[in-house]
């Protein structure tokens, strides 16, 4: 038994190491898109949620790029649709479409739209207008429950997005329906378009608000894949819907925008791209 | 009318186990409570939250189910942006039914009267819009929108057991039906208004062609152009704003395909108010007498 446990621990460490390497490649893809996409992208909000989306796709979700329409697959809804480049980078890394398509992002006739769209292989739900993803997730969770499927539904919202009333309608509905196959993750990067989230409209105390709606709620470091994974595991034990508040940093990994709103929407100059890339390569 | 809708939904639910029904705390007045009783595991009352309801319907459709949502028409419009951004844009197989439309929520006043819904739904790409007229047509239209693929809006109005369409007038999606023939003037109408129009024709003894247009989108362009060509004079009648509804759609079509004078009868860019339904309809010129006057006037002008 001990030998088996040790082997499993060893395997876990290897998998985490592999995940971290993939995340590095995914970050690089997003930096590339920030340099190559003429109108610019929402790079700050993309970099804050990469660790979350990658951990889901590579360590948690049952899905297959060879069968993107498999009905029993787990679903991921990027409700904060402006972070589409992060999702595209993960989907391409997972094999849903070739990375060469990154160069077409936001250009005419591209499968990679400015915000998530069903024309992109692997995208489970459209988004772009904030506040709607959790409701869509409830519909998917009800469909799964009704047909007896074991699949799980993951919804990622931004903290600024929580200004939308529909998010709170959905929080009530999911708790009422005791949807234990639904997980909400909040990318708590502390910024929205105009200013810091707490300046525009106070969200705090976010955890107790969500708990008071009847959700099992965890708070984690949203840049630590192991901690994210632990929380996702705990969510599976909940007898109702579960939420994870992932504390993150807008622009994570690029010092000149980290924790600021500089990268809300931007295109890298050549110098900025090289600087960001060098920093990524240096990081362990 | 809503009872017919509810009964039809129950029989469709028997045939199709992916059919789901949703409402926002108006199960009884919309008629979906019958479905709820028959198939409790396929019915969801999400409470008074129309926006959440539309998102949930989208999630069900993305999972391969066929959700039918039924709420009061004006409050479905509260979720118009969700319908636009998620359901219409992704062409999701969601069926939306707006009840108590037009002036039919008469005593409740302007807040509850829906005079913009056809316009708002018609403008959305991928959307099918139907406004059936009587009991039989509501049953047929309900079946048709559930059986087609893609998003659809069905507008239901007055809660009367109207029966005025002839037995052989079968609802076909995208098709208009000539319910009275004549050559002096063409009247296009839909919903329960067609009943008033038929009464007006009888009273005026005009030789009028009455074309019932229960599908506002996609419009039966061929039939509408042909009817306009035959008479050269057109009146459109609907229990909706004169802006953007059936009259708007027909004016858009005929202005390029066969320009003729078009008179639009409807609510003239004002909100509703409380009052007995018949009085409200009379105030807005939506009763047989007023419609007949409009027709006589136009035909008289042509003769002069």
């Amino acid at each position: 038994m001990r030998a088996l446990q040790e082997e499993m621990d060893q395997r876990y460490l290897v998998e985490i190491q592999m995940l971290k390497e993939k995340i590095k490649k995914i970050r690089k893809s997003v930096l590339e898109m920030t340099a190559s996409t003429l109108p610019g992208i929402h790079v700050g909000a993309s970099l804050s949620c990469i660790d979350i989306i990658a951990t889901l796709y590579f360590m948690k979700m049952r899905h297959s790029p060879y069968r993107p329409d498999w009905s029993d697959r787990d679903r991921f809804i990027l409700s904060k649709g402006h972070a589409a480049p992060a999702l595209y980078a993960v989907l391409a890394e997972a094999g849903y479409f070739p990375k060469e398509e990154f160069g077409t992002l936001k250009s005419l006739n591209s499968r990679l739209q400015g915000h998530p769209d069903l024309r992109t292989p692997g995208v489970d739900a459209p988004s772009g207008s904030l506040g709607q993803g959790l409701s869509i997730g409830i519909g998917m969770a009800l469909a799964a429950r009704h047909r007896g499927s074991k699949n799980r539904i993951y919804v990622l919202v931004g903290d600024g997005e929580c200004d939308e009333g529909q998010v709170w309608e959905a929080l009530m509905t999911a708790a009422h329906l005791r949807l234990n196959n639904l997980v909400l993750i909040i990318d708590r990067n502390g910024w929205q378009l105009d200013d810091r989230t707490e300046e525009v409209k106070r969200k705090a105390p976010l955890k107790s608000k969500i708990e008071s709606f009847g959700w099992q709620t965890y708070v984690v470091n949203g840049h630590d894949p192991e901690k994210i994974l632990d929380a996702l595991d705990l969510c599976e034990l909940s007898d109702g819907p579960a939420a994870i508040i992932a504390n993150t940093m807008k622009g994570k990994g690029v010092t000149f925008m980290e924790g600021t709103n500089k990268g809300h929407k931007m295109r890298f100059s050549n110098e900025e791209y090289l600087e960001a890339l060098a920093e990524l390569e240096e990081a362990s | 009318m809503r009872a017919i809708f509810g009964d039809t939904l129950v029989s469709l639910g028997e045939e199709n186990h992916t059919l789901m029904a949703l409402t926002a705390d108006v199960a009884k007045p919309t008629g979906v409570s019958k479905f709820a009783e028959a198939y409790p595991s396929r019915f969801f009352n999400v409470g008074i939250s129309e926006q959440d309801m539309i998102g949930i319907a989208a999630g069900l459709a993305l999972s391969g189910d066929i959700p039918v949502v039924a709420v009061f028409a004006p409050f479905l419009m509260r979720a118009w942006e969700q319908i636009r951004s998620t359901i219409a844009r992704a062409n999701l197989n969601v069926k939306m039914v707006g009840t108590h439309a037009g002036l039919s929520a008469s005593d409740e006043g302007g807040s509850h009267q829906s005079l913009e819904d056809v316009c708002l739904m018609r403008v959305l790409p991928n959307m099918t819009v139907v406004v059936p007229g009587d009991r039989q047509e509501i049953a047929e239209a309900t079946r048709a929108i559930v059986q087609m693929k893609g998003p659809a809006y069905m507008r239901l109005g007055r809660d009367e057991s109207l029966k005025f369409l002839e037995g052989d007038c079968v609802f076909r999606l995208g098709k208009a039906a000539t319910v009275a023939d004549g050559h002096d003037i063409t009247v296009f109408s839909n919903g329960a208004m067609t009943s008033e129009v038929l009464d007006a024709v009888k009273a005026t003894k005009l030789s009028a062609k009455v074309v019932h247009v229960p599908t506002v989108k996609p419009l039966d362009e061929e039939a509408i152009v042909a009817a306009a060509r035959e008479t050269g004079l057109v009146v459109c009648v609907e229990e909706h704003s004169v802006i953007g509804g059936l009259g708007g759609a027909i004016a858009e079509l005929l202005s390029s395909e066969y320009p003729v004078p078009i008179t639009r009868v409807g609510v003239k860019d004002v909100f509703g108010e409380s009052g007995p339904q018949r009085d409200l309809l009379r105030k807005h010129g939506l009763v047989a007498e007023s419609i007949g006057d409009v027709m006589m006037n136009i035909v008289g002008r042509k003769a002069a």
Side-chain angles (χ1 to χ4, degrees):
Chain A
M1 278 306 281
R2 175 172 290 177
L4 182 64
Q5 186 62 48
E6 276 174 11
E7 194 190 319
M8 283 175 69
D9 288 350
Q10 192 59 37
R11 220 173 124 178
Y12 173 74
L13 290 176
V14 170
E15 279 180 8
I16 288 288
Q17 195 48 45
M18 283 167 60
L19 172 64
K20 287 180 176 168
E21 281 161 25
K22 280 204 176 88
I23 288 174
K24 200 165 169 176
K25 285 200 254 176
I26 292 161
R27 287 191 176 281
K28 196 173 165 186
S29 296
V30 169
L31 297 182
E32 266 175 41
M33 285 186 254
T34 316
S36 67
T37 309
L38 216 51
I41 65 168
H42 290 92
V43 55
S46 296
L47 291 172
S48 71
C49 62
I50 281 177
D51 297 291
I52 301 163
I53 304 176
T55 302
L56 278 168
Y57 273 87
F58 296 110
M59 295 293 280
K60 187 47 89 180
M61 287 167 57
R62 287 160 300 180
H63 68 105
S64 165
Y66 307 107
R67 285 176 66 197
D69 56 353
W70 174 35
S71 64
D72 284 328
R73 72 188 186 279
D74 290 339
R75 305 294 206 280
F76 174 71
I77 300 168
L78 182 67
S79 192
K80 46 170 285 185
H82 53 290
L87 177 60
Y88 298 156
V90 170
L91 289 174
E93 194 63 43
Y96 281 90
F97 55 84
K99 289 185 187 177
E100 285 71 47
E101 284 192 43
F102 290 158
T104 72
L105 174 61
K106 296 189 177 187
S107 58
L108 205 60
N109 302 321
S110 173
R111 293 200 292 182
L112 304 184
Q113 295 289 298
H115 290 82
D117 188 289
L118 295 183
R119 77 189 77 181
T120 309
V123 167
D124 287 327
S127 61
S129 172
L130 293 171
Q132 304 187 25
L134 188 56
S135 301
I136 298 172
I138 292 172
M140 290 178 174
L142 284 172
R145 177 194 274 183
H146 181 254
R147 66 182 55 153
S149 172
K150 294 277 174 249
N151 64 345
R152 295 179 64 75
I153 319 298
Y154 298 95
V155 181
L156 180 67
V157 303
D159 49 359
E161 185 177 359
C162 294
D163 290 351
E164 290 282 5
Q166 191 184 344
V167 172
W168 302 90
E169 292 181 4
L171 282 164
M172 264 175 100
T173 305
H176 178 78
L177 295 168
R178 306 184 71 82
L179 294 171
N180 60 357
N181 52 353
L182 179 66
V183 175
L184 170 69
I185 305 164
I186 300 172
D187 179 4
R188 185 81 167 106
N189 68 27
W191 287 95
Q192 55 199 92
L193 194 150
D194 270 338
D195 205 338
R196 289 182 187 275
T197 55
E198 306 311 287
E199 293 295 324
V200 176
K201 184 153 79 176
R202 190 171 61 244
K203 320 294 187 265
L206 199 52
K207 179 168 188 274
S208 58
K209 279 178 184 162
I210 294 169
E211 276 174 340
S212 75
F213 276 63
W215 287 58
Q216 185 72 45
T217 310
Y218 304 97
V219 179
V220 299
N221 172 354
H223 294 304
D224 183 338
E226 288 181 76
K227 294 286 190 301
I228 296 168
L229 200 53
D230 286 347
L232 288 170
D233 286 345
L234 284 172
C235 290
E236 291 180 12
L237 304 175
S238 173
D239 56 4
I244 298 171
I245 297 171
N247 287 319
T248 59
M249 203 180 264
K250 200 160 180 175
K252 171 71 179 176
V254 181
T255 306
F256 65 78
M257 63 167 106
E258 243 182 22
T260 75
N261 223 13
K262 179 173 160 57
H264 181 79
K265 183 176 179 184
M266 76 177 295
R267 185 191 179 200
F268 281 159
S269 67
N270 206 31
E271 292 73 32
E272 285 166 329
Y273 174 55
L274 293 174
E275 188 183 331
L277 205 59
E279 191 179 348
L280 181 69
E281 298 298 346
E282 276 168 35
S284 58
Chain B
M1 281 195 163
R2 270 115 53 181
I4 291 295
F5 160 66
D7 289 339
T8 310
L9 209 56
V10 169
S11 66
L12 287 166
E14 170 107 53
E15 298 160 23
N16 188 335
H17 292 257
T18 62
L19 195 69
M20 308 269 172
L22 295 97
T23 190
D25 199 33
V26 282
K28 288 188 196 87
T30 56
V32 288
S33 50
K34 291 184 177 180
F35 187 95
E37 283 159 28
Y39 319 107
S41 69
R42 288 193 268 145
F43 169 76
F44 308 105
N45 186 345
V46 302
I48 310 167
S49 45
E50 293 80 7
Q51 302 167 68
D52 187 35
M53 176 189 68
I54 287 298
I56 293 171
L60 287 165
L62 283 163
S63 306
D65 292 324
I66 305 174
V68 178
V69 310
V71 286
F72 294 178
F75 310 127
L76 180 63
M77 297 307 116
R78 184 194 187 103
W80 183 84
E81 194 273 339
Q82 282 79 358
I83 296 169
R84 181 200 85 101
S85 299
T86 301
I87 289 176
R89 196 165 69 87
N91 199 17
L92 299 181
N93 200 20
V94 176
K95 317 303 170 182
M96 289 158 281
V97 180
T99 65
H100 301 71
L103 295 162
S104 68
S106 50
D107 64 310
E108 308 291 358
S111 62
H112 283 56
Q113 293 162 3
S114 176
L115 302 169
E116 316 81 9
D117 52 320
V118 173
C119 175
L120 285 167
M121 299 302 265
R122 183 170 83 80
V123 75
L124 296 172
N126 295 327
M127 190 65 68
T128 291
V129 180
V130 299
V131 187
D134 71 356
R135 291 169 58 85
Q136 183 188 324
E137 195 170 58
I138 285 165
E140 289 164 353
T142 303
R143 187 167 286 273
I145 61 165
V146 167
Q147 284 169 351
M148 63 163 272
K149 203 153 172 60
Y153 172 60
M154 180 166 76
R155 177 189 221 233
L156 296 182
R158 284 195 256 170
D159 195 13
E160 289 170 14
S161 307
L162 282 175
K163 178 123 189 63
F164 59 89
L165 295 168
E166 298 299 323
D168 54 357
C169 175
V170 177
F171 176 83
R172 282 185 298 152
L173 208 57
K175 291 292 172 197
T178 302
V179 292
D181 217 351
H183 28 260
D184 287 342
I185 187 167
T186 299
V187 187
F188 296 108
S189 60
N190 61 19
M193 272 304 122
T194 301
S195 169
E196 299 290 339
V197 172
L198 289 170
D199 288 347
V201 171
K202 264 181 222 144
T204 57
K205 301 199 169 60
L206 280 171
S207 171
K209 182 190 263 305
V210 180
V211 182
H212 180 59
V213 191
T215 311
V216 179
K217 190 181 180 183
L219 206 56
D220 188 347
E221 299 187 353
E222 204 180 322
I224 290 165
V225 171
R229 200 185 291 272
E230 276 175 46
T231 65
L233 282 181
V234 167
V235 177
C236 303
V237 185
E238 61 192 314
E239 199 174 323
H240 184 274
S241 169
V242 288
I243 299 172
L246 176 69
I250 286 173
E252 286 162 18
L253 172 70
L254 293 180
S255 69
S256 65
E257 297 303 312
Y258 191 77
V260 286
I262 300 169
T263 302
R264 288 169 295 137
V265 176
V267 177
K268 293 179 179 61
D269 198 21
V270 291
F271 284 103
E273 66 193 293
S274 287
Q277 185 169 356
R278 203 67 207 161
D279 293 355
L280 274 169
L281 289 170
R282 196 168 290 117
K283 177 166 179 173
H284 292 283
L286 290 167
V287 291
E289 305 90 282
S290 326
I291 296 166
D293 288 347
V294 170
M295 289 163 62
M296 293 290 280
N297 215 332
I298 294 167
V299 174
R301 249 187 290 157
K302 186 192 182 189

